[in-house]
Amino acid sequence: MLMKTAIIRAIALFVLAAPAFAGENLKLNPKLDYTSDSQDGALITGDNMDAALTPGKPAYVIMYGEGCYNSKRQARRTVALYEKYKGRVQFIVVDLDHQLSPAQKEFKDKYFRGYIPHVIVLDASGAALYNSSGEVEEGVISDLIDKTLR
């Protein structure tokens, strides 16, 4: 019985200690039409898209709608930023056209104000360095992320 308890504790400790990184292997939908508000499906796909934020690591969050011209353009920037910062920054993707995970719903409830795309950059402590709706140039976000990584 003591051995069984020790094994259960070890497994629980491993699961809790394992990093549950947010979105990984992010890819842009190749069928996106950047000239219209057409419904082209999920803008960004990847692994662990429902994962929660891991404390102690900066994060980039995008909330979007699939049929939004501006969201499509911001999604393209998001994947470019992911390629630049993968492994060092968490990427959280909230597709407002699908059922949200509890972690995604938490971001929506806390930050979303009804306009898309919406981008948030959080430092390692979880403080918002950027929190705004509308498109934002890749360089603006890169500057913020670079500062938080120093």
Side-chain angles (χ1 to χ4, degrees):
M1 185 66 150
L2 186 58
M3 181 66 142
K4 184 177 180 181
T5 303
I7 291 172
I8 291 171
R9 285 185 183 163
I11 291 171
L13 182 61
F14 175 76
V15 168
L16 292 174
F21 295 118
E24 296 176 317
N25 302 314
L26 300 186
K27 302 274 188 263
L28 196 60
N29 178 345
K31 297 177 183 176
L32 296 183
D33 178 358
Y34 296 100
T35 64
S36 77
D37 286 337
S38 59
Q39 287 283 346
D40 301 328
L43 308 184
I44 300 171
T45 60
D47 301 326
N48 302 322
M49 299 294 276
D50 294 338
L53 188 66
T54 302
K57 196 168 198 178
Y60 170 97
V61 182
I62 181 172
M63 293 181 233
Y64 68 75
E66 292 178 0
C68 172
Y69 167 83
N70 300 96
S71 290
K72 293 174 188 182
R73 292 165 41 108
Q74 194 63 45
R76 183 171 44 197
R77 292 181 190 105
T78 298
V79 173
L81 287 163
Y82 169 77
E83 289 299 324
K84 182 176 181 179
Y85 293 106
K86 66 182 164 187
R88 300 183 292 155
V89 174
Q90 300 173 81
F91 283 78
I92 298 175
V93 178
V94 181
D95 183 340
L96 297 169
D97 291 324
H98 291 274
Q99 184 173 352
L100 304 180
S101 71
Q104 292 170 327
K105 185 175 180 337
E106 186 177 322
F107 275 105
K108 180 183 177 206
D109 292 346
K110 185 172 183 176
Y111 294 105
F112 187 62
R113 300 295 174 252
Y115 302 100
I116 52 175
H118 192 95
V119 173
I120 304 117
V121 176
L122 304 171
D123 67 13
S125 71
L129 303 175
Y130 184 90
N131 178 17
S132 188
S133 296
E135 291 185 59
V136 57
E137 291 299 323
E138 191 176 325
V140 171
I141 300 300
S142 282
D143 289 346
L144 288 169
I145 291 173
D146 289 343
K147 285 178 188 172
T148 194
L149 288 173
R150 289 187 194 133

